[in-house]
Amino acid sequence: MTTFTRIPEGETPSINVDVSRRLSKIDPNIYGGFMEHMGRCIYGGIYDPGNPLSDTNGYRTDVLTALRELDIPVIRYPGGNFVATYHWQDGVGPKENRPARPELAWLGTETNQFGTDEFMHWLSVLGEGQEKKIEPYFCLNFGTGTLDEALAWVEYCNGTRNTYYANLRRKNGREEPYNIKYWALGNETWGPWQVGQMTATDYAKTASQWGKALKLLDPNLILILCGETGTTSWDYEVLKSCIKYVDMHSIHIYTTSSSHVPNAVAPLSAERSIETAAALIDIARIENNIPATAPRTTICFDEWNVWDPVRALGEDGAEELYTLSDALAVGVWLNVFVRQSKWVGMANIAQSVNVISPLMTTKDGIVKQATWWPLLLFSRYMRGWTVGTHVRGGAYDGVTEPAWLQGVLEQGASWLDVSACVNEEGVVTLAVVNISETEDFEVDLLGTSKDVEVFTVTGDNVKAVNVEGKEEVGVKESKWDGDGRYKFVKHSITMLRWQTGEKIVEVGKEESIRFDARKMVWS
């Protein structure tokens, strides 16, 4: 958590990092990815048979190498809007027998040459050499799908008994179950663009029935409820009706503005959405008499990014060209997730390759867009526990997108957007986004030490971009001795890291109870 006090412009700002105020654990799943059958994300992105850069499975090796740098803990699949007309059985078994289908979300054709088993194998290849496996997160079809179809998919993926769909998986070459934990109960079913749009009442009734049945089949599933933005009556109604059956509540927000500063501060709307959704979860727990020892439903921010759908049409593949301004916005987005680590159990950037993505492929290689660099730095270094931080400085109080954000920023938006954490080894990391397009800030830093590592992401101007053959935005590494004030240069993301000399010991807590879907009780 970061607090803020506004001071007159021209006075010296300060940032106080209090490592003794270790607040909440940062879930590594906030650095999750998302692979949807949309545009060139799958076909031509991660799967490109015949390309010299692909291996014998058709997987792009340059993409695999790049994504390994991010240490992604979980990847959402196969959508997204795509799932509303997706039938998983079309994508398993011999490829020559798989039907091509019209795809209605993005008005394309789905060949089904890449499906459940291919994704799971690709995930295992991506995770080679890592300590922990990369968790898959599947989304169920709430548009044209049925409960029987959903149960069959879970059985296919997780079944261990001598049953039809578990045996079908074995027949298709996978003996051991995949043990997929995370399953979403639909995607954006509130939206008019959805095939199978529902009212909140209808969705809540369906989701609670599906949730009960799915947990009877596999009590270890982590089910994700389909929320909206965290600030709507939809969120409240579905939480009130379904909270017993679900473990996480999904919210989606994309931000953008054609003006730099509104673009950079727009992710602060997501911070307010997280706080609001957390309060709605508390209300639902109280109204449903959920025992205090039951695990708290957390927030799954499983679609977030900077996206202008006019600039990058979904039907055309949604291939954004990201600027330094967008990179600063992504830095603010990630600061939000670190600051709100108490509530956020997962976040998935939408998406991981080509589609509104920091990573783009060409036939000859890859391009790491401006937004790649904050994602890389945060996923690499912002882990452990959020620590208390206080900022004193000037602020922006002009127009915002969305407009309502201006009304909830009581002191304006700090020119220096800040979060901090400490890891198990006692290393503190301070992330500072200077959103100003014109002004450097000399800042008094309190709580730092000597021998500070410095990583800076910036460019010549806020419109700087990275394209094939030309990189205008990157990361620069340096050192700072910790003496005097530190200058945060205009339109930049700066990460400072130093050692406290103390390892962190996490204090355990009592084991919590779970909801028994068979007996309909907490035990």
Side-chain angles (χ1 to χ4, degrees), residues 22 57 112 127 137 143 209 321 352 392 411 447 503 506 520:
R22 182 159 53 95
N57 298 300
N112 285 302
Y137 164 23
Q209 293 297 328
L321 177 60
S352 295
R392 297 177 71 255
Q411 299 188 72
K503 291 192 176 183
E506 185 173 14
M520 299 295 288

Side-chain angles (χ1 to χ4, degrees), residues 365-430:
I366 57 174
V367 176
K368 295 175 178 177
Q369 294 216 70
T371 54
W372 170 269
W373 301 106
L375 188 63
L376 176 69
L377 289 177
F378 272 79
S379 65
R380 184 173 290 174
Y381 298 123
M382 296 297 282
R383 295 178 182 258
W385 292 265
T386 299
V387 297
T389 307
H390 185 69
V391 179
R392 297 177 71 255
Y396 168 80
D397 53 12
V399 297
T400 59
E401 292 188 24
W404 62 258
L405 177 61
Q406 187 177 22
V408 300
L409 295 173
E410 295 179 0
Q411 299 188 72
S414 172
W415 291 115
L416 300 175
D417 190 83
V418 177
S419 72
C421 68
V422 61
N423 67 14
E424 289 82 353
E425 300 302 315
V427 177
V428 177
T429 304
L430 172 68

Side-chain angles (χ1 to χ4, degrees), residues 201-260:
T201 301
D202 287 342
Y203 171 78
K205 181 178 179 180
T206 303
S208 61
Q209 293 297 328
W210 283 40
K212 177 181 177 180
L214 288 162
K215 290 217 170 182
L216 286 172
L217 178 63
D218 186 345
N220 295 314
L221 299 184
I222 296 174
L223 298 182
I224 293 91
L225 190 65
C226 175
E228 191 174 342
T229 61
T231 58
T232 68
S233 56
W234 172 286
D235 292 282
Y236 170 65
E237 185 166 345
V238 300
L239 277 165
K240 178 180 67 173
S241 300
C242 303
I243 196 163
K244 289 184 293 188
Y245 303 103
V246 299
D247 306 276
M248 306 183 83
H249 181 69
S250 164
I251 57 179
H252 293 177
I253 293 176
Y254 295 95
T255 60
T256 188
S257 175
S258 57
S259 299
H260 164 62

Side-chain angles (χ1 to χ4, degrees), residues 32-35 41 67 72 75 349-360 372:
F34 179 27
M35 302 288 188
C41 183
L67 291 178
I72 301 170
I75 296 181
I349 189 169
Q351 296 180 20
S352 295
V353 182
N354 285 333
V355 177
I356 50 173
S357 175
L359 185 67
M360 305 295 293
W372 170 269

